[in-house]
Amino acid sequence: MNTHENVKTTSSLAQARALTLPPREAILQRAPSVKQFWHSNAKLLESAWQEWQKEESGSVFEPSIQLLDEQLSKAVEQAWQNPDQEVAVKNLWHEVAPGVFKAQFFNPARLEELRYYLDALAKTGIATRAPFGIVYNRRGAMLDPRSEGYLAAPGFQAFYNQLLDDYMRPIARLLMPEIHGFDSQTFGFSIEYQAGMDTSLQPHTDASAATLNININLPEEQYEGSEVDFYDPNTKHVKRLRFEPGEAMLHRGSVPHAAQPITKGTRNNMVLWLYGEKMQIPVFNNVLEPKTAAERWTKPSNIKDKFAPF
């Protein structure tokens, strides 16, 4: 008799759902046991996400570039076909503070589809790690495979990489030429600011060459406060900015910025970073080697490393 005949196999998804997250205090203190939890369960969690996607195939919407602002997606598509037409992309971005550019990124009318999908991911019962390196958020997730407990749903990862490779990187190179060559590595997280808890972010710079911060609030999700202050180190002036649903701010990581306290409602954001190998970022005043439009609209061949900024 086969000794395994009566052994019931437990799926990866069921095993993942049975996991107990480390205590919140241990997470905030970055206890060694927390790192061990994510390390020892990494393969199981990735397998669970694959199983979940297969199980939900056809019943759960998957995000695509169809969610993006139509003008932006059309201009970017044309630039990939003919880089000399990249000016149409550049014209959609407006410099609203030194080193800070703003544009409509997602179509507000379709944000509900994205948020429905992200909510579905949050309800899978599969453990994910919140971005405690930014603020002590109780919601939000790490998005990049280099992060422990990242959002490893294959459909989301395809969308995430498309945003970085097809949109963020060439646009950042176009608006901030000095980042070219310091943009092969990626990082990302989602974050929620909620009135009454974890409500602000102190002045800081990012460990990135470029940061793309996208507001993914629905049009009806109104909030008060939570403006973003950008500091001009030369003039010492502060520009306080607010962005509406689907709008994005693309800025140099070296630009000091802070989030004001949110006083009402919630603000949901997706934040993406680009930087070079070994966390290298450019020196803004360096003499630049001119790049052609064709060079900007390419994807780096560098292998992604495994180091996560936090």
Side-chain angles (χ1 to χ4, degrees):
M1 178 178 178
N2 189 331
T3 58
H4 295 288
E5 282 183 2
N6 296 321
V7 176
K8 186 176 180 179
T9 301
T10 304
S11 71
S12 296
L13 184 55
Q15 291 180 61
R17 285 171 169 163
L19 292 174
T20 300
L21 277 169
R24 180 173 168 78
E25 283 305 311
I27 292 173
L28 297 182
Q29 294 169 9
R30 305 188 183 189
S33 59
V34 176
K35 190 172 186 66
Q36 178 58 32
F37 171 85
W38 294 117
H39 178 73
S40 61
N41 291 300
K43 296 299 183 183
L44 170 64
L45 293 172
E46 289 181 351
S47 179
W49 279 115
Q50 292 171 3
E51 186 179 327
W52 175 82
Q53 179 160 308
K54 185 176 180 180
E55 188 177 279
E56 298 295 331
S57 178
S59 61
V60 174
F61 163 83
E62 284 195 8
S64 72
I65 59 170
Q66 299 301 316
L67 297 174
L68 272 65
D69 176 75
E70 187 176 353
Q71 279 189 295
L72 179 64
S73 60
K74 183 178 179 180
V76 167
E77 182 181 357
Q78 289 176 342
W80 276 107
Q81 293 172 357
N82 180 0
D84 289 335
Q85 294 188 22
E86 65 180 6
V87 66
V89 178
K90 188 173 185 178
N91 288 342
L92 294 173
W93 293 83
H94 306 285
E95 191 166 15
V96 291
V100 182
F101 302 85
K102 183 177 176 181
Q104 191 69 41
F105 196 85
F106 286 124
N107 179 351
R110 300 200 63 174
L111 277 171
E112 187 174 7
E113 298 169 69
L114 176 60
R115 289 288 299 280
Y116 178 84
Y117 176 73
L118 293 175
D119 286 345
L121 296 185
K123 293 173 182 175
T124 60
I126 304 173
T128 56
R129 183 167 77 88
F132 292 103
I134 295 294
V135 288
Y136 295 158
N137 265 46
R138 291 160 177 81
R139 294 193 64 182
M142 309 306 293
L143 307 180
D144 200 279
R146 61 169 33 85
S147 299
E148 300 165 335
Y150 76 104
L151 200 56
F156 177 79
Q157 282 300 308
F159 177 62
Y160 168 76
N161 283 300
Q162 193 168 20
L163 293 182
L164 286 157
D165 292 339
D166 292 356
Y167 286 80
M168 181 182 178
R169 186 180 292 106
I171 294 172
R173 289 173 173 177
L174 179 59
L175 300 175
M176 299 170 280
E178 78 280 0
I179 79 151
H180 201 132
F182 297 90
D183 55 11
S184 62
Q185 306 299 312
T186 62
F187 185 62
F189 54 93
S190 62
I191 192 168
E192 179 183 281
Y193 294 92
Q194 184 175 344
M197 53 194 284
D198 308 334
T199 58
S200 63
L201 196 57
Q202 297 302 308
H204 66 284
T205 58
D206 296 336
S208 67
T211 296
L212 181 68
N213 191 337
I214 316 166
N215 184 329
I216 57 173
N217 268 35
L218 303 180
E220 64 270 22
E221 288 180 316
Q222 300 297 315
Y223 66 92
E224 295 178 5
S226 199
E227 301 90 349
V228 182
D229 288 346
F230 288 94
Y231 300 83
D232 186 334
N234 295 318
T235 65
K236 310 303 180 185
H237 291 164
V238 177
K239 188 70 174 289
R240 182 162 294 179
L241 300 171
R242 175 185 173 92
F243 48 134
E244 300 303 322
E247 285 187 335
M249 292 188 196
L250 177 61
H251 62 86
R252 295 180 171 91
S254 58
V255 176
H257 54 286
Q260 288 296 308
I262 186 167
T263 56
K264 183 179 179 180
T266 61
R267 176 163 71 90
N268 297 275
N269 286 64
M270 184 182 294
V271 183
L272 310 179
W273 286 6
L274 294 173
Y275 50 84
E277 294 181 359
K278 299 181 180 179
M279 292 295 297
Q280 293 183 75
I281 59 176
V283 177
F284 179 58
N285 291 324
N286 273 5
V287 176
L288 303 179
E289 178 186 341
K291 301 291 183 181
T292 65
E295 288 175 308
R296 281 189 282 275
W297 294 87
T298 58
K299 300 177 184 180
S301 58
N302 310 56
I303 296 174
K304 291 188 178 181
D305 60 38
K306 300 294 184 181
F307 179 76
F310 57 82

